[in-house]
Coordinates of all heavy atoms in Angstrom, one line a residue:
M1 N -99.7 -64.9 135.0 CA -100.8 -66.0 135.1 C -101.7 -66.0 133.9 O -102.2 -67.0 133.5 CB -101.7 -65.5 136.4 CG -100.9 -65.9 137.7 SD -101.8 -65.3 139.1 CE -103.2 -66.4 139.1
L2 N -101.8 -64.8 133.3 CA -102.5 -64.8 131.9 C -101.9 -65.7 130.9 O -102.5 -66.2 130.0 CB -102.6 -63.4 131.5 CG -103.6 -62.5 132.2 CD1 -103.6 -61.1 131.6 CD2 -105.0 -63.0 132.1
Y3 N -100.5 -65.9 131.0 CA -99.8 -66.6 130.0 C -100.0 -68.1 130.2 O -99.9 -68.9 129.2 CB -98.3 -66.3 130.1 CG -98.0 -64.9 129.7 CD1 -97.4 -64.1 130.6 CD2 -98.4 -64.3 128.5 CE1 -97.1 -62.7 130.3 CE2 -98.1 -63.0 128.2 CZ -97.5 -62.3 129.1 OH -97.3 -60.9 128.9
W4 N -100.6 -68.5 131.4 CA -100.9 -69.9 131.6 C -102.2 -70.3 130.8 O -102.4 -71.4 130.2 CB -101.2 -70.2 133.0 CG -99.9 -70.1 133.8 CD1 -98.7 -70.1 133.5 CD2 -100.0 -70.0 135.2 NE1 -97.9 -70.1 134.6 CE2 -98.6 -70.0 135.7 CE3 -100.9 -70.0 136.2 CZ2 -98.3 -69.9 137.0 CZ3 -100.6 -69.9 137.6 CH2 -99.2 -69.9 138.0
L5 N -103.1 -69.3 130.7 CA -104.4 -69.5 129.9 C -104.2 -69.3 128.4 O -104.7 -70.0 127.6 CB -105.4 -68.5 130.4 CG -105.8 -68.7 131.9 CD1 -106.8 -67.6 132.4 CD2 -106.4 -70.0 132.2
F6 N -103.4 -68.2 128.0 CA -103.2 -67.9 126.6 C -101.8 -67.9 126.4 O -101.0 -66.9 126.5 CB -103.7 -66.4 126.3 CG -105.2 -66.3 126.8 CD1 -105.5 -65.6 128.0 CD2 -106.2 -66.9 126.1 CE1 -106.7 -65.4 128.4 CE2 -107.5 -66.7 126.6 CZ -107.7 -66.0 127.8
E7 N -101.2 -69.0 125.9 CA -99.7 -69.2 125.8 C -99.3 -68.4 124.5 O -98.1 -67.9 124.6 CB -99.5 -70.6 125.5 CG -99.7 -71.4 126.7 CD -99.4 -73.0 126.5 OE1 -99.0 -73.3 125.4 OE2 -99.8 -73.8 127.3
R8 N -100.0 -68.1 123.5 CA -99.5 -67.3 122.3 C -99.8 -65.9 122.3 O -99.7 -65.3 121.3 CB -100.0 -68.1 121.1 CG -99.6 -69.5 120.9 CD -100.0 -70.1 119.7 NE -99.3 -69.3 118.6 CZ -99.8 -69.4 117.4 NH1 -100.7 -70.2 117.0 NH2 -99.1 -68.7 116.5
M9 N -100.2 -65.4 123.5 CA -100.6 -64.0 123.5 C -99.4 -63.1 123.5 O -98.3 -63.4 124.0 CB -101.2 -63.7 125.0 CG -101.7 -62.3 125.1 SD -102.7 -62.0 126.6 CE -101.8 -62.8 127.8
N10 N -99.5 -62.0 122.8 CA -98.4 -61.0 122.7 C -98.1 -60.4 124.2 O -99.0 -60.2 125.0 CB -98.8 -59.9 121.9 CG -97.8 -58.9 121.5 OD1 -96.6 -58.9 122.1 ND2 -98.0 -58.0 120.6
V11 N -96.8 -60.2 124.4 CA -96.4 -59.8 125.7 C -96.9 -58.4 126.1 O -97.1 -58.1 127.2 CB -94.9 -59.9 125.9 CG1 -94.4 -60.9 126.9 CG2 -94.2 -59.9 124.6
L12 N -97.1 -57.5 125.1 CA -97.5 -56.2 125.4 C -99.0 -56.0 125.6 O -99.4 -55.0 126.1 CB -97.1 -55.3 124.3 CG -95.5 -55.2 124.1 CD1 -95.2 -54.3 122.9 CD2 -94.8 -54.7 125.3
L13 N -99.8 -57.0 125.2 CA -101.3 -56.9 125.2 C -101.8 -56.8 126.7 O -102.5 -55.8 126.9 CB -101.9 -58.1 124.6 CG -103.5 -58.1 124.5 CD1 -103.9 -57.0 123.6 CD2 -103.9 -59.5 124.1
P14 N -101.3 -57.6 127.6 CA -101.8 -57.4 129.0 C -101.3 -56.1 129.7 O -102.0 -55.4 130.4 CB -101.3 -58.6 129.8 CG -100.3 -59.2 129.0 CD -100.5 -58.8 127.6
A15 N -100.0 -55.7 129.4 CA -99.5 -54.6 129.9 C -100.1 -53.2 129.5 O -100.3 -52.3 130.3 CB -97.9 -54.4 129.7
F16 N -100.5 -53.1 128.2 CA -100.9 -51.8 127.6 C -102.4 -51.9 127.2 O -102.9 -50.7 126.9 CB -100.0 -51.5 126.4 CG -98.6 -51.3 126.7 CD1 -97.6 -51.9 126.1 CD2 -98.3 -50.3 127.7 CE1 -96.3 -51.7 126.4 CE2 -97.0 -50.1 128.1 CZ -96.0 -50.8 127.4
V17 N -103.1 -53.1 127.2 CA -104.5 -53.0 126.8 C -105.3 -53.6 128.0 O -106.3 -52.9 128.4 CB -104.7 -53.8 125.5 CG1 -106.1 -53.9 125.2 CG2 -103.9 -53.2 124.4
I18 N -105.1 -54.8 128.3 CA -106.0 -55.5 129.3 C -105.9 -54.9 130.7 O -107.1 -54.5 131.3 CB -105.6 -57.0 129.4 CG1 -105.9 -57.7 128.1 CG2 -106.4 -57.7 130.5 CD1 -105.3 -59.0 128.0
C19 N -104.9 -54.7 131.3 CA -104.7 -54.1 132.6 C -105.2 -52.6 132.7 O -105.8 -52.3 133.7 CB -103.3 -54.3 133.2 SG -103.1 -56.0 133.7
P20 N -104.9 -51.8 131.8 CA -105.4 -50.5 131.8 C -107.0 -50.4 131.7 O -107.7 -49.7 132.4 CB -104.8 -49.6 130.6 CG -103.6 -50.4 130.4 CD -103.9 -51.9 130.8
L21 N -107.6 -51.3 130.9 CA -109.0 -51.4 130.8 C -109.6 -51.9 132.2 O -110.7 -51.4 132.6 CB -109.4 -52.4 129.6 CG -109.2 -51.8 128.3 CD1 -109.6 -52.8 127.2 CD2 -110.1 -50.6 128.1
L22 N -108.9 -52.9 132.7 CA -109.4 -53.3 134.1 C -109.3 -52.2 135.1 O -110.1 -52.1 136.0 CB -108.5 -54.6 134.5 CG -108.9 -55.8 133.8 CD1 -107.9 -56.9 134.2 CD2 -110.3 -56.3 134.0
A23 N -108.3 -51.4 135.0 CA -108.1 -50.3 136.0 C -109.2 -49.3 135.8 O -109.8 -48.7 136.8 CB -106.8 -49.6 135.8
V24 N -109.6 -49.0 134.6 CA -110.7 -48.1 134.2 C -112.0 -48.7 134.8 O -112.8 -48.0 135.5 CB -110.9 -47.9 132.7 CG1 -112.2 -47.2 132.4 CG2 -109.7 -47.0 132.3
L25 N -112.3 -50.0 134.7 CA -113.5 -50.6 135.2 C -113.5 -50.7 136.7 O -114.5 -50.5 137.3 CB -113.6 -52.1 134.7 CG -113.9 -52.2 133.2 CD1 -113.9 -53.8 132.8 CD2 -115.3 -51.7 133.0
I26 N -112.3 -50.8 137.3 CA -112.3 -50.7 138.8 C -112.6 -49.3 139.3 O -113.4 -49.2 140.2 CB -110.9 -51.1 139.3 CG1 -110.6 -52.6 139.1 CG2 -110.6 -50.7 140.7 CD1 -109.2 -53.0 139.3
G27 N -112.2 -48.2 138.6 CA -112.5 -46.9 139.0 C -114.0 -46.6 138.8 O -114.7 -46.1 139.7
V28 N -114.6 -47.1 137.7 CA -116.0 -46.9 137.5 C -116.8 -47.7 138.6 O -117.8 -47.1 139.1 CB -116.4 -47.3 136.1 CG1 -117.9 -47.4 135.9 CG2 -115.8 -46.4 135.0
F29 N -116.5 -48.9 138.8 CA -117.3 -49.7 139.7 C -117.1 -49.2 141.1 O -118.1 -49.2 142.0 CB -116.9 -51.2 139.6 CG -117.5 -51.8 138.4 CD1 -116.7 -52.7 137.7 CD2 -118.8 -51.6 138.0 CE1 -117.2 -53.4 136.6 CE2 -119.3 -52.2 136.9 CZ -118.6 -53.1 136.1
C30 N -115.9 -48.8 141.5 CA -115.8 -48.1 142.8 C -116.6 -46.9 143.0 O -117.2 -46.7 144.1 CB -114.3 -47.8 143.1 SG -113.3 -49.2 143.5
R31 N -116.8 -46.1 141.9 CA -117.6 -44.9 142.1 C -119.1 -45.3 142.1 O -119.8 -44.7 142.9 CB -117.3 -44.0 140.8 CG -118.2 -42.8 140.7 CD -118.0 -41.9 142.0 NE -117.2 -40.8 141.7 CZ -116.9 -39.9 142.6 NH1 -117.4 -39.9 143.8 NH2 -116.2 -38.8 142.2
L32 N -119.5 -46.2 141.2 CA -120.9 -46.5 141.2 C -121.4 -47.3 142.4 O -122.5 -47.2 142.8 CB -121.2 -47.3 139.9 CG -121.1 -46.5 138.6 CD1 -121.3 -47.4 137.4 CD2 -121.9 -45.3 138.6
L33 N -120.5 -48.1 143.0 CA -120.9 -48.9 144.2 C -120.5 -48.2 145.5 O -120.7 -48.8 146.5 CB -120.2 -50.3 144.1 CG -120.6 -51.1 142.9 CD1 -119.7 -52.4 142.9 CD2 -122.1 -51.5 142.8
H34 N -120.0 -46.9 145.5 CA -119.8 -46.2 146.6 C -118.7 -46.8 147.4 O -118.8 -46.8 148.7 CB -120.9 -45.8 147.4 CG -122.0 -45.1 146.6 ND1 -121.8 -43.8 146.0 CD2 -123.2 -45.5 146.2 CE1 -122.9 -43.5 145.4 NE2 -123.8 -44.5 145.4
V35 N -117.6 -47.3 146.8 CA -116.5 -48.0 147.5 C -115.4 -46.9 147.6 O -115.2 -46.2 146.7 CB -116.0 -49.2 146.7 CG1 -114.9 -49.9 147.5 CG2 -117.2 -50.3 146.6
N36 N -114.7 -47.0 148.7 CA -113.5 -46.1 148.9 C -112.5 -46.3 147.7 O -112.3 -47.5 147.4 CB -112.9 -46.3 150.2 CG -111.9 -45.3 150.5 OD1 -111.7 -44.4 149.7 ND2 -111.4 -45.3 151.8
I37 N -111.9 -45.3 147.1 CA -111.0 -45.5 146.1 C -109.7 -46.1 146.5 O -109.1 -46.6 145.7 CB -110.9 -44.1 145.4 CG1 -110.0 -44.2 144.1 CG2 -110.2 -43.1 146.4 CD1 -110.5 -45.1 143.2
L38 N -109.4 -46.0 147.8 CA -108.2 -46.7 148.3 C -108.3 -48.2 148.0 O -107.3 -48.8 147.8 CB -107.9 -46.2 149.7 CG -107.6 -44.8 150.0 CD1 -107.4 -44.6 151.4 CD2 -106.4 -44.4 149.1
V39 N -109.5 -48.7 148.2 CA -109.7 -50.1 147.9 C -109.5 -50.4 146.4 O -108.8 -51.3 146.1 CB -111.1 -50.5 148.4 CG1 -111.4 -52.0 147.9 CG2 -111.2 -50.4 149.9
G40 N -110.1 -49.6 145.6 CA -109.9 -49.6 144.2 C -108.4 -49.5 143.7 O -107.9 -50.2 142.8
A41 N -107.7 -48.6 144.4 CA -106.3 -48.4 144.0 C -105.5 -49.6 144.5 O -104.5 -49.9 143.8 CB -105.8 -47.1 144.6
A42 N -105.8 -50.2 145.6 CA -105.1 -51.4 146.0 C -105.3 -52.5 145.1 O -104.4 -53.3 144.8 CB -105.5 -51.7 147.5
I43 N -106.6 -52.7 144.6 CA -106.8 -53.7 143.7 C -106.1 -53.4 142.4 O -105.5 -54.4 141.7 CB -108.3 -53.9 143.4 CG1 -109.0 -54.3 144.7 CG2 -108.6 -54.8 142.2 CD1 -110.5 -54.2 144.6
A44 N -106.1 -52.2 141.9 CA -105.3 -51.9 140.7 C -103.8 -52.0 140.8 O -103.1 -52.3 139.9 CB -105.6 -50.4 140.3
L45 N -103.3 -51.8 142.1 CA -101.9 -52.0 142.3 C -101.5 -53.5 142.1 O -100.4 -53.9 141.8 CB -101.5 -51.7 143.7 CG -100.1 -51.8 144.2 CD1 -99.3 -50.8 143.4 CD2 -100.0 -51.6 145.7
L46 N -102.5 -54.4 142.3 CA -102.2 -55.9 142.1 C -102.4 -56.3 140.8 O -102.1 -57.6 140.4 CB -103.1 -56.7 143.1 CG -102.9 -56.4 144.6 CD1 -103.9 -57.1 145.4 CD2 -101.5 -56.8 145.0
L47 N -102.9 -55.5 139.8 CA -103.1 -56.0 138.4 C -101.9 -56.5 137.7 O -102.0 -57.4 136.9 CB -103.8 -54.8 137.6 CG -105.3 -54.6 137.9 CD1 -105.7 -53.4 137.1 CD2 -106.1 -55.8 137.6
P48 N -100.7 -55.8 137.8 CA -99.6 -56.3 137.2 C -99.1 -57.8 137.5 O -98.5 -58.4 136.7 CB -98.4 -55.4 137.5 CG -99.1 -54.1 138.0 CD -100.4 -54.6 138.6
L49 N -99.7 -58.3 138.6 CA -99.4 -59.7 139.0 C -100.0 -60.6 138.0 O -99.7 -61.8 137.9 CB -99.8 -59.9 140.3 CG -99.1 -59.3 141.5 CD1 -99.7 -59.6 142.8 CD2 -97.7 -59.7 141.4
L50 N -101.1 -60.2 137.2 CA -101.7 -61.0 136.3 C -100.7 -61.4 135.1 O -100.9 -62.4 134.5 CB -102.9 -60.3 135.7 CG -104.1 -60.2 136.5 CD1 -105.2 -59.3 135.8 CD2 -104.6 -61.4 137.0
F51 N -99.8 -60.5 134.8 CA -98.9 -60.9 133.7 C -97.5 -61.0 134.2 O -96.5 -61.3 133.3 CB -98.9 -59.9 132.5 CG -98.7 -58.5 132.9 CD1 -97.4 -58.0 132.7 CD2 -99.7 -57.6 133.3 CE1 -97.1 -56.5 133.0 CE2 -99.4 -56.2 133.5 CZ -98.1 -55.8 133.4
L52 N -97.1 -60.7 135.4 CA -95.8 -60.8 136.0 C -95.5 -62.1 136.8 O -94.4 -62.5 136.9 CB -95.4 -59.6 136.8 CG -95.2 -58.3 136.0 CD1 -94.9 -57.2 137.1 CD2 -94.1 -58.4 135.0
A53 N -96.6 -62.6 137.4 CA -96.3 -63.7 138.3 C -96.5 -65.1 137.6 O -97.4 -65.9 138.0 CB -97.3 -63.6 139.4
N54 N -95.6 -65.4 136.7 CA -95.6 -66.7 136.1 C -95.1 -67.7 137.0 O -95.5 -68.8 137.2 CB -94.8 -66.7 134.8 CG -95.4 -65.9 133.7 OD1 -96.6 -65.6 133.7 ND2 -94.6 -65.5 132.8
D55 N -94.0 -67.4 137.8 CA -93.4 -68.2 138.9 C -92.7 -67.3 139.8 O -92.6 -66.0 139.6 CB -92.5 -69.3 138.3 CG -91.4 -68.7 137.5 OD1 -91.2 -67.5 137.3 OD2 -90.6 -69.5 136.9
L56 N -92.2 -67.7 141.0 CA -91.7 -66.9 141.9 C -90.4 -66.2 141.5 O -90.2 -65.1 141.9 CB -91.4 -67.7 143.2 CG -91.0 -67.0 144.5 CD1 -92.2 -66.1 144.8 CD2 -90.9 -68.0 145.6
S57 N -89.5 -66.9 140.7 CA -88.3 -66.2 140.2 C -88.7 -65.1 139.3 O -88.0 -64.1 139.3 CB -87.5 -67.3 139.6 OG -88.1 -67.8 138.4
A58 N -89.6 -65.2 138.4 CA -90.0 -64.2 137.5 C -90.6 -63.0 138.3 O -90.3 -61.8 138.0 CB -91.1 -64.6 136.5
L59 N -91.4 -63.2 139.4 CA -91.8 -62.2 140.2 C -90.7 -61.4 141.0 O -90.7 -60.2 141.0 CB -92.9 -62.7 141.3 CG -93.5 -61.7 142.2 CD1 -94.3 -60.7 141.4 CD2 -94.3 -62.4 143.2
A60 N -89.8 -62.1 141.4 CA -88.6 -61.5 142.2 C -87.8 -60.7 141.2 O -87.3 -59.7 141.6 CB -87.8 -62.6 142.8
A61 N -87.7 -61.1 139.9 CA -86.9 -60.3 139.0 C -87.6 -59.1 138.5 O -87.0 -58.2 138.1 CB -86.5 -61.2 137.8
N62 N -88.9 -59.2 138.5 CA -89.8 -58.0 138.0 C -90.5 -57.2 139.1 O -91.5 -56.6 138.7 CB -90.7 -58.6 137.0 CG -90.1 -59.1 135.8 OD1 -89.1 -58.5 135.3 ND2 -90.6 -60.3 135.4
I63 N -89.9 -57.2 140.3 CA -90.7 -56.5 141.3 C -90.7 -55.0 141.0 O -91.7 -54.3 141.4 CB -89.9 -56.7 142.7 CG1 -90.8 -56.3 143.9 CG2 -88.6 -56.1 142.9 CD1 -91.8 -57.3 144.2
D64 N -89.6 -54.4 140.4 CA -89.7 -53.0 140.0 C -90.8 -52.7 139.0 O -91.4 -51.7 139.0 CB -88.3 -52.5 139.6 CG -87.8 -53.3 138.4 OD1 -88.3 -54.5 138.2 OD2 -86.8 -52.9 137.8
A65 N -90.9 -53.6 138.1 CA -92.0 -53.4 137.1 C -93.3 -53.5 137.8 O -94.3 -52.8 137.3 CB -91.9 -54.4 135.9
W66 N -93.5 -54.3 138.7 CA -94.7 -54.5 139.4 C -95.2 -53.2 140.1 O -96.3 -52.7 140.0 CB -94.7 -55.6 140.4 CG -95.9 -55.8 141.3 CD1 -97.2 -55.5 141.0 CD2 -95.9 -56.3 142.6 NE1 -98.1 -55.8 142.1 CE2 -97.3 -56.2 143.1 CE3 -94.9 -56.7 143.5 CZ2 -97.6 -56.7 144.3 CZ3 -95.3 -57.2 144.7 CH2 -96.6 -57.1 145.2
V67 N -94.2 -52.6 140.8 CA -94.4 -51.3 141.5 C -94.7 -50.2 140.5 O -95.7 -49.4 140.7 CB -93.1 -50.9 142.4 CG1 -93.3 -49.6 143.0 CG2 -93.1 -52.0 143.4
M68 N -94.0 -50.1 139.4 CA -94.2 -49.1 138.5 C -95.6 -49.2 137.7 O -96.3 -48.2 137.7 CB -93.1 -49.1 137.4 CG -93.1 -48.0 136.4 SD -91.9 -48.1 135.1 CE -92.3 -49.5 134.3
Y69 N -95.8 -50.4 137.2 CA -97.1 -50.5 136.5 C -98.3 -50.5 137.5 O -99.3 -49.9 137.2 CB -97.2 -51.9 135.8 CG -96.4 -51.8 134.4 CD1 -95.3 -52.7 134.2 CD2 -96.8 -51.0 133.5 CE1 -94.6 -52.6 133.1 CE2 -96.0 -50.9 132.3 CZ -95.0 -51.8 132.1 OH -94.3 -51.7 130.9
G70 N -98.1 -51.0 138.7 CA -99.2 -50.9 139.7 C -99.5 -49.6 140.1 O -100.7 -49.2 140.2
A71 N -98.5 -48.7 140.2 CA -98.7 -47.3 140.5 C -99.5 -46.6 139.4 O -100.4 -45.8 139.7 CB -97.4 -46.6 140.9
I72 N -99.1 -46.9 138.2 CA -99.7 -46.3 137.0 C -101.2 -46.7 137.0 O -102.1 -45.9 136.8 CB -98.9 -46.5 135.7 CG1 -97.7 -45.9 135.7 CG2 -99.8 -46.2 134.5 CD1 -96.7 -46.3 134.7
Y73 N -101.5 -48.0 137.2 CA -102.9 -48.5 137.1 C -103.7 -47.9 138.3 O -104.9 -47.6 138.1 CB -102.9 -50.0 137.1 CG -102.2 -50.7 136.0 CD1 -101.6 -51.9 136.0 CD2 -102.2 -50.1 134.7 CE1 -100.9 -52.5 135.0 CE2 -101.5 -50.6 133.6 CZ -101.0 -51.9 133.8 OH -100.3 -52.5 132.8
G74 N -103.0 -47.8 139.4 CA -103.7 -47.1 140.6 C -104.1 -45.6 140.2 O -105.2 -45.2 140.6
I75 N -103.3 -45.0 139.6 CA -103.5 -43.6 139.2 C -104.6 -43.5 138.2 O -105.4 -42.6 138.2 CB -102.2 -42.9 138.5 CG1 -101.2 -42.6 139.8 CG2 -102.5 -41.6 137.9 CD1 -99.9 -42.2 139.3
V76 N -104.6 -44.4 137.2 CA -105.7 -44.5 136.2 C -107.0 -44.8 136.9 O -108.0 -44.1 136.6 CB -105.4 -45.6 135.1 CG1 -106.6 -45.9 134.3 CG2 -104.3 -45.2 134.3
A77 N -107.1 -45.7 137.9 CA -108.3 -46.0 138.6 C -108.8 -44.8 139.4 O -110.0 -44.4 139.4 CB -108.2 -47.3 139.5
F78 N -107.8 -44.1 140.0 CA -108.2 -42.8 140.7 C -108.7 -41.7 139.9 O -109.7 -41.1 140.2 CB -106.9 -42.4 141.5 CG -107.2 -41.2 142.4 CD1 -107.8 -41.4 143.5 CD2 -106.8 -39.9 142.0 CE1 -108.1 -40.2 144.3 CE2 -107.0 -38.8 142.7 CZ -107.7 -39.0 143.9
A79 N -108.1 -41.6 138.6 CA -108.5 -40.5 137.8 C -109.9 -40.8 137.2 O -110.8 -40.0 137.2 CB -107.5 -40.4 136.6
V80 N -110.2 -42.1 136.9 CA -111.6 -42.5 136.5 C -112.5 -42.3 137.6 O -113.7 -41.8 137.3 CB -111.5 -43.9 135.8 CG1 -112.9 -44.4 135.6 CG2 -110.7 -44.0 134.6
Y81 N -112.1 -42.6 138.7 CA -113.0 -42.5 139.9 C -113.5 -41.0 140.0 O -114.6 -40.6 140.4 CB -112.3 -43.0 141.1 CG -113.1 -42.9 142.4 CD1 -114.1 -43.8 142.8 CD2 -113.0 -41.7 143.3 CE1 -114.7 -43.8 144.0 CE2 -113.7 -41.7 144.5 CZ -114.6 -42.7 144.8 OH -115.3 -42.6 146.0
K82 N -112.5 -40.1 139.9 CA -112.8 -38.7 140.1 C -113.6 -38.1 139.0 O -114.4 -37.1 139.1 CB -111.5 -37.9 140.2 CG -110.8 -38.1 141.5 CD -111.6 -37.6 142.7 CE -110.9 -37.6 144.0 NZ -111.7 -37.2 145.1
V83 N -113.5 -38.6 137.7 CA -114.2 -38.1 136.5 C -115.6 -38.7 136.4 O -116.5 -38.0 136.0 CB -113.3 -38.5 135.2 CG1 -114.1 -38.2 134.0 CG2 -112.0 -37.7 135.3
C84 N -115.8 -39.9 136.9 CA -117.1 -40.6 136.8 C -118.1 -39.8 137.7 O -117.9 -39.4 138.8 CB -116.9 -42.0 137.3 SG -118.3 -43.0 136.8
P85 N -119.4 -39.7 137.1 CA -120.4 -39.1 138.0 C -120.8 -39.9 139.1 O -120.8 -41.2 139.0 CB -121.6 -38.8 136.9 CG -121.3 -39.9 135.9 CD -119.8 -40.1 135.8
K86 N -121.3 -39.3 140.2 CA -121.7 -40.1 141.4 C -123.0 -40.7 141.1 O -123.2 -41.9 141.7 CB -121.8 -39.1 142.6 CG -120.5 -38.5 143.0 CD -120.7 -37.7 144.3 CE -119.3 -37.1 144.7 NZ -119.4 -36.2 145.8
K87 N -123.9 -40.2 140.5 CA -125.2 -40.8 140.3 C -125.4 -40.9 138.7 O -125.1 -40.1 138.0 CB -126.4 -40.0 140.9 CG -126.3 -39.8 142.3 CD -127.4 -38.9 142.9 CE -127.3 -38.8 144.4 NZ -128.4 -38.0 144.9
V88 N -126.0 -42.1 138.4 CA -126.2 -42.4 137.1 C -127.8 -42.6 136.9 O -128.4 -43.3 137.7 CB -125.5 -43.7 136.6 CG1 -125.9 -44.1 135.2 CG2 -124.0 -43.6 136.8
K89 N -128.3 -41.9 135.9 CA -129.7 -42.0 135.6 C -130.0 -42.9 134.5 O -129.3 -42.9 133.4 CB -130.3 -40.7 135.2 CG -130.2 -39.6 136.3 CD -130.6 -38.3 135.8 CE -130.5 -37.2 136.9 NZ -130.9 -35.9 136.5
F90 N -130.8 -43.9 134.7 CA -131.1 -44.9 133.7 C -132.4 -44.6 133.1 O -133.4 -44.2 133.6 CB -131.2 -46.3 134.4 CG -129.8 -46.8 134.8 CD1 -129.5 -46.8 136.1 CD2 -128.9 -47.2 133.8 CE1 -128.1 -47.3 136.5 CE2 -127.6 -47.6 134.2 CZ -127.3 -47.7 135.6

């Protein structure tokens, strides 16, 4: 879906830069907003759909990549959730 917006984007940019940063942000926001990490991990599991779901045939061909990258992004969100402090002083 990202390729619909940015046609000339490098294929590795969403997989190795954009989605890991989004997973980190999901982990931080889940910790700061006191949301269960399972919700954050489920959202992070869906992040690969941003760059894999161009059409239904591409999604069907890349279902294994979706599971693999989704699990990695879920682990990243979980790790950031555990490392982030519970209370933030401003």
Side-chain angles (χ1 to χ4, degrees):
M1 291 176 64
L2 286 176
Y3 299 119
W4 293 344
L5 299 174
F6 309 104
E7 294 178 6
R8 298 187 60 196
M9 181 173 49
N10 187 351
V11 249
L12 298 176
L13 182 70
F16 296 124
V17 176
I18 295 173
C19 288
L21 288 176
L22 288 175
V24 167
L25 288 175
I26 288 170
V28 168
F29 285 136
C30 284
R31 176 58 103 180
L32 294 178
L33 298 175
H34 304 292
V35 178
N36 191 355
I37 188 55
L38 294 178
V39 174
I43 294 170
L45 181 69
L46 298 176
L47 283 177
L49 293 178
L50 290 175
F51 62 90
L52 288 177
N54 292 336
D55 55 5
L56 193 57
S57 64
L59 180 63
N62 295 318
I63 196 80
D64 56 342
W66 175 30
V67 171
M68 182 181 66
Y69 283 118
I72 291 169
Y73 299 148
I75 290 170
V76 168
F78 181 76
V80 170
Y81 180 85
K82 288 295 185 181
V83 171
C84 192
K86 292 183 181 180
K87 295 182 181 179
V88 178
K89 296 178 183 177
F90 291 106

